[in-house]
Amino acid sequence: MNVKRMSPARDNQRSALRTPAPHVARLRSASPPSVPPLSARERVKTATDFVSAALMLVPALPAILACIALVRLTSPGPALYTQSRVGRGGRVFTLYKVRTMHHDCERLTGPQWSTPGDARVTPVGRVMRKLHLDELPQLFNVMKGEMSLVGPRPERPEIVKKLREAVVGYDRRHAVKPGITGFAQIHLPPDSCIRSVRNKVAYDRFYIRSRSLGMELFILGATALKVIGLKHLYYRAPRVPTE
């Protein structure tokens, strides 16, 4: 079937994603789930990801340091920050990013998705987000074996708790390591509502069923084209078969 892009309905978005502090505490204190061992294919991909991430860090490190300096000069608070995300098998890990929002901006609201024109994003952060420079520190997550270069994007535990209840089959995207980029990310805009998540999950599950070396290389190439504003060179509405 054709997966149609849904219009981003934002009604009740903020209330749907808020999680009271006690729930957050229970999520973080829970024992990590048992994760099945990697298959031979996945071990090869992990090794390839490690080497690729190490090589990419050579040119990426100066860019990361420049972003850190810009954030420190233009916005109070730490330049790098960590965030809990849900990875393979539902295990929570710590993700690294360059800060693009005002420090501690979710203190009163709790975890929320970013929206177009989000006032929490700093002017420098807006540029870094457009160029995806804030994601570069996740190369360290790849080298640690927590992420892959390509895979479903990891979400925060507080939001995953809500999405598991609202989206059928949501946890199936946790069958593989999350990625810095993915099949859903090169075709669809960021999550903005439950309907957009259902669409993303369809793409993620299609990737998990169909992944191959050719598909991984296509996603990496398409990501590079998207970053430099040439998405039209690869974009087409993909056909995602029913299960």
Side-chain angles (χ1 to χ4, degrees):
M1 67 172 183
N2 285 321
V3 173
K4 299 180 180 178
R5 185 178 300 187
M6 305 296 184
S7 59
R10 298 190 184 91
D11 50 317
N12 299 324
Q13 173 190 340
R14 295 180 182 271
S15 60
L17 295 178
R18 288 176 183 164
T19 306
H23 287 323
V24 177
R26 283 196 293 272
L27 275 167
R28 291 177 177 170
S29 63
S31 301
S34 59
V35 180
L38 295 172
S39 65
R41 175 182 175 181
E42 289 172 321
R43 287 197 297 270
V44 170
K45 183 180 179 185
T46 296
T48 304
D49 280 335
F50 178 89
V51 174
S52 300
L55 292 174
M56 292 171 69
L57 266 174
V58 175
L61 196 54
I64 294 173
L65 294 175
C67 289
I68 289 173
L70 281 172
V71 172
R72 291 298 300 272
L73 288 171
T74 58
S75 175
L80 285 175
Y81 80 103
T82 59
Q83 199 175 67
S84 295
R85 295 291 178 102
V86 178
R88 180 175 178 269
R91 177 164 289 180
V92 176
F93 68 98
T94 300
L95 177 139
Y96 309 116
K97 293 190 74 172
V98 177
R99 181 171 57 84
T100 57
M101 292 186 175
H102 295 289
H103 178 52
D104 208 17
C105 61
E106 292 183 332
R107 181 173 56 86
L108 298 177
T109 63
Q112 293 181 348
W113 281 321
S114 181
T115 56
D118 199 322
R120 298 174 299 169
V121 180
T122 65
V124 168
R126 207 169 300 281
V127 175
M128 288 195 295
R129 282 181 168 230
K130 186 174 181 62
L131 299 176
H132 297 277
L133 295 174
D134 58 314
E135 312 285 358
L136 290 178
Q138 288 163 46
L139 291 171
F140 291 105
N141 288 112
V142 175
M143 294 183 68
K144 289 175 65 178
E146 298 164 334
M147 292 181 66
S148 177
L149 292 178
V150 177
R153 282 297 293 167
E155 187 54 271
R156 287 181 280 182
E158 299 91 341
I159 296 178
V160 167
K161 182 178 176 66
K162 298 292 184 180
L163 296 180
R164 280 173 174 157
E165 300 171 357
V167 180
V168 176
Y170 181 81
D171 262 331
R172 294 187 189 179
R173 65 197 301 277
H174 297 140
V176 298
K177 288 183 182 180
I180 296 178
T181 185
F183 187 67
Q185 279 62 46
I186 63 173
H187 288 100
L188 300 175
D191 294 331
S192 58
C193 60
I194 297 299
R195 184 175 295 179
S196 69
V197 173
R198 291 194 182 102
N199 210 22
K200 277 271 186 70
V201 169
Y203 281 69
D204 287 335
R205 287 164 63 174
F206 173 71
Y207 160 76
I208 293 170
R209 294 194 305 272
S210 310
R211 59 202 165 113
S212 63
L213 177 60
M215 188 177 194
E216 304 263 329
L217 293 175
F218 167 75
I219 292 171
L220 290 172
T223 300
L225 292 173
K226 182 179 179 180
V227 168
I228 62 177
L230 297 178
K231 181 178 177 179
H232 63 279
L233 293 181
Y234 74 82
Y235 180 78
R236 62 183 178 83
R239 295 179 62 84
V240 182
T242 57
E243 297 185 51

